[in-house]
Amino acid sequence: MDLGPEGDLSAPGFGPRDENRSGTTSRPFRLKRVPKAFRAGGDWKEWFVTVDNSKGSRAESYILVLTVFSGRAASEDTHVQVFLQGAWHDAPVVGVTPDGHDPTFLLSPVLYVPVGRTDVRVRARFGAGAPAEAVRLEVKGVNIDPTVPVGAASRIARSKIVRDGTPGTPGTPGIVGVAGRAAEARPDGGPDTKSDG
């Protein structure tokens, strides 16, 4: 799938350092109700990707992808689905790092966004083999309207994977991040999850 130079999944400007970055598009994306944690081997956890076209004068169309940055979780332990046309659908993996981590999932090859705000339901779960670690969820959208200058935007939210009996689980002293360092936990079991919504 050719996204073009501005929408290339590996293009500069769309890496993990560019939090809350907006490109040339004026229609920002938001991630709402992102779970504070996903339990390895646990159930699906759901959140929303919102596309705000409330100030637009016409409908727009986007390619929409989601990258799950973790560091150690294997792509086969990461599962993502998207709710479209009244049903949940498996989101196919369209890219991974050379060592098989940080999978990118295609949420929609053509997402039609009418004037107004559109909420897209997304959910994920991690297999029992996933390690306890911090994760970043990055949604990227590329405007594919040929009459509009190529535009793209991305948003990032933070969460974590927890395991029973490991740091990060309620009742234990902290969480273990990508670098393996324990962080001080709140009484409810972990640090704040930061997201755009």
Side-chain angles (χ1 to χ4, degrees):
M1 178 178 60
D2 183 10
L3 302 183
E6 291 291 332
D8 190 325
L9 299 181
S10 61
F14 292 92
R17 293 171 300 187
D18 298 299
E19 295 189 28
N20 302 335
R21 171 184 169 87
S22 290
T24 56
T25 180
S26 60
R27 313 299 177 224
F29 296 92
R30 294 174 60 87
L31 292 97
K32 302 191 305 185
R33 302 180 186 174
V34 173
K36 293 181 178 180
F38 296 87
R39 187 171 302 279
D43 294 332
W44 293 99
K45 293 287 189 74
E46 182 179 340
W47 71 94
F48 296 90
V49 175
T50 298
V51 185
D52 187 355
N53 191 21
S54 59
K55 296 181 180 179
S57 60
R58 61 177 181 173
E60 296 184 350
S61 297
Y62 289 89
I63 299 170
L64 197 64
V65 299
L66 174 77
T67 301
V68 181
F69 294 99
S70 62
R72 294 185 296 152
S75 61
E76 58 264 27
D77 279 327
T78 308
H79 309 276
V80 171
Q81 292 186 337
V82 59
F83 193 85
L84 296 172
Q85 298 180 337
W88 288 104
H89 303 274
D90 290 331
V93 175
V94 294
V96 295
T97 58
D99 56 359
H101 302 299
D102 301 343
T104 294
F105 297 88
L106 179 64
L107 299 181
S108 177
V110 182
L111 178 67
Y112 175 81
V113 181
V115 175
R117 288 186 176 89
T118 298
D119 285 330
V120 181
R121 295 169 63 190
V122 180
R123 65 184 184 182
R125 65 180 177 88
F126 293 87
E133 63 179 342
V135 296
R136 292 190 307 273
L137 306 172
E138 181 178 17
V139 65
K140 307 172 189 177
V142 180
N143 192 323
I144 58 175
D145 187 337
T147 67
V148 174
V150 174
S154 65
R155 292 283 181 170
I156 288 179
R158 298 182 186 277
S159 187
K160 61 187 176 184
I161 304 169
V162 298
R163 299 179 59 86
D164 291 332
T166 62
T169 305
T172 56
I175 69 165
V176 174
V178 174
R181 295 190 297 269
E184 184 178 352
R186 297 192 321 263
D188 62 356
D192 289 330
T193 299
K194 298 178 181 178
S195 68
D196 294 318

